[in-house]
Amino acid sequence: MRLVVAEDSVLLREGLIRLFTELGHEVVSAVGSAPELIDAIDLPNIDVVVTDVRMPPTHSDDGLRAAITIRETHPQVGVLVLSQWVHGDAARDLLRSGTGGVGYLLKDRVQDLTTIASALDVIHRGGMVIDPEVIAQVAVNQETPHQGIDRLTARELEVMSLMAQGRSNSAIAEGLVITLGAVEKHIASIFTKLDLMNSPDDHRRVLAVLRYLGD
């Protein structure tokens, strides 16, 4: 993949460049501010942007707001927010912008290279990968659940939460200690209750997650 990395800490930025290179990706630009990120997105054939949240010029949520802008202007480019901060409202705006190819992970909860590698793959395929802590701040505080979410069983809500984290069916089965067939039945039931029919399963998974997050 061809990546753009946005991180204002020089040490962390260089570390990310080395990490992504070890994973076999090409970092075509590495910048330290949100305006530089917006400029870099016009480089040819960018697959995924990886950005922090708090960046210059204001050191608030500039990186996240730049990611939202990129989703609007370059919908074919995936976005992975990699930060130690969760900005609930802006995170909700990011996840609602488009129908996939987006992720939000917390730096201190990324345990190994496999997590990052898997997240990039899911995002590149048009999926969503969201840290459980981000889900908690975006979804749990919704005043009114989307129509259909209130019809899901407790187990189906557990499956939905793991789907939002980018887990495959087999990973969901392992996490919930149930069979793969049971997971497939739960997901089919979720699609039915949310009226998500007649489209590829990958697309329906993204739409289901967006409903879960209150879109």
Side-chain angles (χ1 to χ4, degrees):
M1 276 178 244
R2 287 169 56 85
L3 309 178
V4 172
V5 173
E7 167 62 63
D8 63 328
S9 166
V10 174
L11 289 178
L12 289 179
R13 186 165 67 244
E14 292 301 317
L16 287 173
I17 293 171
R18 184 169 301 180
L19 166 63
F20 294 137
T21 301
E22 289 179 1
L23 290 173
H25 305 306
E26 179 185 1
V27 178
V28 297
S29 181
V31 301
S33 71
E36 289 176 306
L37 172 58
I38 294 296
D39 290 340
I41 196 60
D42 287 325
L43 292 170
N45 302 317
I46 301 300
D47 294 308
V48 178
V49 166
V50 181
T51 183
D52 196 358
V53 169
R54 294 187 176 180
M55 298 182 65
T58 71
H59 294 281
S60 56
D61 61 353
D62 300 74
L64 187 50
R65 291 298 174 185
I68 294 170
T69 297
I70 289 169
R71 293 271 288 166
E72 295 171 349
T73 60
H74 296 74
Q76 78 282 4
V77 175
V79 171
L80 171 59
V81 175
L82 185 61
S83 181
Q84 61 184 359
W85 309 102
V86 179
H87 285 245
D89 290 340
R92 187 178 300 111
D93 291 342
L94 173 69
L95 299 174
R96 287 175 172 176
S97 60
T99 57
V102 65
Y104 197 131
L105 299 179
L106 300 182
K107 290 176 179 176
D108 58 358
R109 290 167 58 87
V110 174
Q111 301 298 319
D112 50 47
L113 295 182
T114 303
T115 301
I116 293 291
S118 175
L120 286 175
D121 287 341
V122 171
I123 292 167
H124 191 217
R125 296 196 309 267
M128 302 181 78
V129 182
I130 312 168
D131 186 278
E133 290 295 327
V134 178
I135 293 173
Q137 294 202 33
V138 173
V140 172
N141 293 326
Q142 294 292 326
E143 293 182 2
T144 304
H146 191 284
Q147 182 179 6
I149 293 295
D150 55 352
R151 298 201 297 266
L152 300 184
T153 66
R155 178 62 86 183
E156 288 167 350
L157 288 171
E158 290 178 324
V159 171
M160 278 293 310
S161 178
L162 293 174
M163 286 171 59
Q165 296 170 43
R167 304 282 188 90
S168 65
N169 286 6
S170 58
I172 293 173
E174 181 179 354
L176 297 179
V177 195
I178 58 179
T179 67
L180 181 59
V183 171
E184 293 170 348
K185 289 180 180 179
H186 286 310
I187 292 177
S189 176
I190 289 169
F191 290 160
T192 298
K193 291 179 179 179
L194 298 183
D195 297 322
L196 299 175
M197 308 302 293
N198 301 320
S199 63
D201 278 355
D202 286 348
H203 183 59
R204 286 193 292 177
R205 289 172 81 98
V206 171
L207 292 176
V209 170
L210 289 171
R211 299 276 183 90
Y212 177 62
L213 295 175
D215 189 14

